[in-house]
Amino acid sequence: MNILQIISNSQLGGAEKHTKLISIALAKLGHSIQLVFPPGPYTPYFRQCEKFGIKTYEVKNLKGSPWKAAREICNLVNMDSVNVIHSHQHRADFITRLIKRRYPHVVTITTIHDQLGKDYPLWKTPWKFFPYYVFSFLGVHDLDYVIATSEPVKNYIKKLYFLHTDKVVHIPNAIDTTEIDNLSMKINIHEQFNIPKGSIVISYAVFCLK
């Protein structure tokens, strides 16, 4: 299967980590993967996918005009051979919607990692929430399938975007244990954060860079 992964951000975040991880996993299963992303701090990590036979493309317009980004992607990628577009983040969803208009044979999927109000809380900034909601609604609603990374997110987006139950599926984010094996604590956490000695400390890592 020929799968095109599109992500509209290259920050050091969980969505970027997930996109890299799932692209590599699919490539190992024998699928042909192409990965499109904008310039940013995570770009070198996206480039690591090339070691697994994944074609990578840096598209500056992913942070600019969605219409220009869609046109540029179609010029870079042989869309006639693409079976599936998997988008990550709402700008990428909208761009995927534009591409599907031109290539209706492609199955479109998006993964939604968190709730919309996280970036623009409705009760704090309604003038930002509603334009962003319309933008995200247009992107998500026309795609074929929506993946939610948790049950609360699944229930939230079904109500938020008026999506049919069969269209939304819950698939938790995968964890590559090879990236956390043999990691050792580099600091004395009690001294670093001025925590009394003998206190129990529970911590977790959002993601690891390797």
Side-chain angles (χ1 to χ4, degrees), residues 13-184:
E16 290 82 357
K17 179 72 172 179
H18 170 78
T19 303
K20 174 195 169 189
L21 179 61
I22 195 174
S23 296
I24 293 173
L26 289 168
K28 287 180 177 179
L29 289 173
H31 298 289
S32 176
I33 308 298
Q34 301 179 80
L35 175 59
V36 176
F37 51 86
Y42 204 80
T43 295
Y45 299 97
F46 282 139
R47 294 292 188 194
Q48 292 176 0
C49 294
E50 295 173 357
K51 295 184 295 185
F52 300 89
I54 297 171
K55 295 180 180 178
T56 63
Y57 304 95
E58 184 177 307
V59 176
K60 293 182 178 179
N61 279 318
L62 277 168
K63 300 294 290 182
S65 167
W67 290 269
K68 288 182 179 180
R71 187 162 53 248
E72 185 176 352
I73 291 170
C74 290
N75 290 335
L76 285 171
V77 177
N78 179 14
M79 289 303 305
D80 290 322
S81 66
V82 173
N83 307 114
V84 176
I85 300 178
H86 187 176
S87 58
H88 305 263
Q89 301 167 331
H90 292 304
R91 179 175 288 272
D93 297 341
F94 188 80
I95 292 166
T96 298
R97 176 179 183 261
L98 297 176
I99 295 174
K100 187 174 176 67
R101 286 185 174 182
R102 185 173 174 182
Y103 298 93
H105 71 280
V106 176
V107 176
T108 52
I109 303 170
T110 182
T111 294
I112 296 182
H113 298 266
D114 53 26
Q115 298 182 2
L116 181 68
K118 178 181 176 183
D119 295 321
Y120 303 113
L122 173 60
W123 62 276
K124 278 188 176 181
T125 55
W127 60 91
K128 289 184 179 180
F129 178 89
F130 286 111
Y132 190 60
Y133 170 75
V134 172
F135 182 77
S136 64
F137 178 90
L138 291 173
V140 170
H141 208 267
D142 284 352
L143 304 187
D144 295 311
Y145 299 100
V146 178
I147 298 172
T149 56
S150 70
E151 281 293 336
V153 171
K154 175 184 174 181
N155 295 331
Y156 175 80
I157 61 177
K158 279 166 54 180
K159 295 177 181 178
L160 184 69
Y161 297 120
F162 306 100
L163 298 175
H164 193 275
T165 302
D166 295 340
K167 187 173 181 174
V168 186
V169 60
H170 168 216
I171 303 178
N173 280 353
I175 298 173
D176 185 354
T177 56
T178 63
E179 296 202 356
I180 59 176
D181 285 347
N182 301 319
L183 289 178
S184 59

